[in-house]
Amino acid sequence: MKKFWIGIIIIAVIAVIAMFRFLKPDKTAVEATDQTEVSKPVEIAKAKRGEIRSELQLSGTIEAESRVSVIPKISGRIISLSVSEGDRVKKGYPLAVIEHEELKLAVQQAEATLEAAESAFSQTQQLAKVRVHSQVAQAKALLNAAEVSLLQVKELAEIRTVTQIDQAEAGLKSLEANLEKIKTGARDEDRRQAEAGLKQAKASLVNAQNNYARMEELFKNGAISQQSLENSQTQLDVMIAQHKIATEQLQLIDNGAREEDIQAMEAQVEQAKAALRLAQAQASTKTWEKDIALAQSQVDTAQAGFTSAHALEKAKSWEAEITTAKTAQTQASIALKLAKKRLRDATIEAPIDGIVSQRYLDLGGMAVPTAPLFEIVDIDTVKATADVIEVHLSQVALNQQASINIDGINTPISGTISYISPTLQPMQRTAKVEIRIDNLEGTLRPGMFAKVTVPVEVHTDAILVPRTSLIEDAQTKTQNVFVVEAGVSERRPVEIGLSRGGEVEIVSGLNEGDSVVIAGQHSLKVGESVTVVNP
């Protein structure tokens, strides 16, 4: 503006002098005017080398790099609060504590369960294999015992029945002979026979007693049926009776027969006949076959048990048992970890470094997993978010530098483009761009208005002239400038490049140091004399 007024003053002075000469002309002056051309006053600027850049101007808002709502994972009453709004916290710092007595008990219970599972696992490791081998040995022993019982039953069953018939027949004959002797009178020979009969009856009684003892043992082991045991008892009873009869016969021979003795002997004969019929009936039913079948079934059962135990041993079933115990231990361990985690969840910790911007509950309030307790913001690093229209998206890129101006902060702040949205807003046709800014001193606050400048293209060695020097040709739409050389104007067509503010880049048509007319050029003609009036 100052240069403009100086030019006006100079022109005014020249005009006054011209008017003075016009009013008072003399011959010499008129002749000089005819011979000398008047120079036009202009202002010039030197074409210089420098840096120029094309920039994208954006408007945005400062936001926190991280803004986290702290939500509890468990429900409960707040029993401790250690921070207030505005406090700076580190990640992991305890913010609040929720009542957790039941959670402590759950941890103790899980610890006890784990201890029991570990003990069971240890015992299983030590005993499982031994137990399987022991089962095999026990099954083998039971099989051997069942096979022995089967052999005993086979040996005793039929022989015992036949022997019972023989004994019954012999006893009947002896009684019949004794009855006859009693009726005819005893002789020495009869006495000897009676004594021999008593000895035989006594031997048969002992044999019956031993047989009953064996049968009772077999019955206890399940090798014979109840019927076989009862038959053995019956045989023992018969032998006891025969022994008694033989004893009484000998007494009759010694004392002489009476009528009642004869009647008693006749009754004994009838009893012996009944015992013979019973033994014959038992033989006809072949009860020993049932005993053998029962003993054989016990052998089969024992064989199945041994086969099963041997299969477990062959398959190493103890390994599955150990695996099951190990699984139970693992489950108990996981349950303990879960219980401890829930107990830790009762203490609310800061998830990031930052400042507590909001605290929603006071001491004694009820925390629930659906509502936040705190809000923490990290403003050590902030971001300026701006919307870039579709046509300018190609001019921005990740890690590109940007300059941010904030009202109230005199110095521009540097930032880096850290995010470009992959999609555009359908209505606005804009994409979100984030510029990351270091804010260690806390100068920038979320919510501030930001003016973002992104350099799109930079030329560091450009020929620069003031934008006011350009003259556009209305017909060709080309740009021209006037250059002063030796006090004479020269018009040059130029090709322009980048422009910024009041400067423009000349790609061709000028050289560094050329004197470019920046004021008065619009009235110049090519080849006119000019006077530089720059202050």
Side-chain angles (χ1 to χ4, degrees), residues 437-451:
I437 309 167
D438 290 334
N439 188 39
L440 296 177
E441 296 181 359
T443 306
L444 304 180
R445 301 295 179 89
M448 285 182 169
F449 178 74
K451 299 176 182 177

Side-chain angles (χ1 to χ4, degrees), residues 257-282:
R258 295 173 298 174
E259 184 63 29
E260 59 267 24
D261 294 332
I262 294 172
Q263 293 176 356
M265 180 60 68
E266 289 175 346
Q268 291 177 1
V269 170
E270 293 299 324
Q271 185 178 5
K273 290 179 179 180
L276 175 59
R277 289 193 298 271
L278 176 62
Q280 290 173 340
Q282 290 178 349

